[in-house]
Amino acid sequence: MDIEREILPTDILIVGAGPAGLALAYKLAKLVEADGSVEMPEILLMDKGAHVGAHSLSGAVMDPRGLAELIPDYKELGAPLEAEVIADAMYYLNKQSAIRIPFLPKELSNEGNYIVSLNKLTAWLGEQVEACGVDIYAGLAGYDLIIKDDRVTGVQTVDMGLNKEGEPRSNFEPGSIIEAKVTVLCEGVHGSLTRRAFENIPCLREDSLPQAYLTGVKEVWQVPEGRIKAGQVYHTIGWPQPHDEYGGGWVYAMSDTMVSVGYAVGLASPDPMNDPHMKFQRLKTHPFMRAILEGGEMLHYGAKTIPDNGFYSMPKLTHDGLLLCGDSAGMLNPQKLKGIHLAIKSGIMAAETLFDCLKNDNFSADALAGYQQRFDQSWAREELYKTRNFHASFKGGLLAGLFHGATQVFCGGRGFFDHRVNKPDYKYMCKLDEYGRMTGRDLVKEKVKFDNKYTFDKLTDVYKSGTMHEEEQLPHLVIADLDICNNQCTEEYGNPCQHFCPAQVYEMVDDDSRPGKKKLQLTPSNCIHCKTCDIVDPYQVIRWVVPQGGEGPNYETM
Ligand code: SF4
């Protein structure tokens, strides 16, 4: 289809109004205002969510270091901090009991940190950014990264009003081309534009190990008084995850009666039935969790992937016309499972670099490389480097990981192994007939009887995520070869998509044209944009692309 597209020129295009993108816009506006010698650049800050914070989902215990550097008087200005951490404990779970780990090293301690709702925090940051005169275009989704002669020149926004076959409807509005001197990708984990950058600019990842992801599944609960105190933080390891797989749970008390509970599951799993949602539901049946949730009510649900391999999986941060910030650059401390402070710091460093570019009227690749140099000398790099081997040390299972993790504390993060090479997560998945031989376990689908009180099926949970997509649009889950799904994958892997997706987007249903056979049925309107399918589909035939802007989950207090 030949489409004439409007060209919208701007100076700086920021994709994603999460902590990194908002910090960048805020800091740059403040630097320009304080300096007074350069004109305020045109900054176009876009986000695919219906409003700032709609797609912001996180654990979340925040290390305040980044926010304090960005806005030193953040408390006086009313930053929404739910509670300061007052107690912090880790428990090892087996099926019936919970054993408190007696000693928590300071590297894992949350002293001085805050429990936050990332949704509320980003909404508040958005207000600070708008008060600086920067407009935020919520509901505007970037469909494609434009690269000309190895230079990133901007983004094409998504077409609105296409039908399921890709034909224009009466309300069709073609996406625009936003042309920018620099495009900054702050689109969160495994963003579709970032993926396009990595595929088309191979030097960005030539020195990086593949990323290792977790899928985190989470609910916010209202609980009766007396169960927990605001600021209490619990982490769990062990059950229901097998010892040779990566994962753990959390309980964060946002107030005396509101808790965030969740479970993060490694995607480098041999199990083709790996189901993060089901594991989380099982976790809630444990007496330790039940004692907190008993008599409570589940209010909200969400899921997202987490880039967990840390420093060695980070890409190069700059290219001609391009900067990468926050989760788009894999900036997450895997030891603490925290990235908000690093995302904010990356936004600050990107802003300082772009301020230099403005002053010198020079946005060349060399000038943008100042961002990498800033990172290399920053506390963010130091923190990420110290935790560089943490995730990899769990390759031999939970006990080996705890042992190696402890040794890393005493030798600057090196431990017994350094730079352990890994494969992309999907390559760890076993075929049905390999699983028993490789793991020594029978392949059994984990099950929970959903009681709709403490445990919920995926559709009930999706309803609590506020997810909305217009049904009549081009599917944003693109399957390159359905034949692989309906035949080869069924035989070899048993269609893992029906298990790993935490929103029941993929189902195998009877195929009327082939009696006795099943076919894949997609319900993209359920999708909560976690990207698990794009990461872990064993044939890599699923591609997640952006749906129409303003759609997807609508997270509240998450
Ligand atoms: Fe996540 Fe993919 Fe399921 Fe959407 S379809 S919820 S991105 S796994």
Side-chain angles (χ1 to χ4, degrees), residues 19-37:
L22 292 165
L24 194 174
Y26 180 87
K27 181 72 180 177
L28 184 56
K30 288 289 182 194
L31 285 170
V32 171
E33 184 188 280
D35 179 81
S37 72

Side-chain angles (χ1 to χ4, degrees), residues 7 10 57 64 110 214 222 270 277 309 333 351 374 396 405 409 426 439 453 488:
I7 310 269
T10 191
L57 174 78
N110 279 299
L214 314 177
Q222 182 95 44
H277 173 272
N309 210 43
N333 175 335
R374 276 187 169 83
V409 168
Y426 70 91
T439 66
K453 205 167 164 199
Q488 192 179 351

Side-chain angles (χ1 to χ4, degrees), residues 215 303 305 462 469 476-477 497 500-506 522-524 526-534 542 544:
T215 291
T305 42
V462 169
H469 293 90
H476 71 279
L477 295 148
C497 56
F500 60 60
C501 170
Q504 203 169 313
V505 169
Y506 302 92
L522 288 178
T523 314
N526 288 354
C527 176
I528 51 178
H529 296 199
C530 74
K531 320 288 175 60
T532 304
C533 53
D534 194 303
I542 300 175
W544 189 96

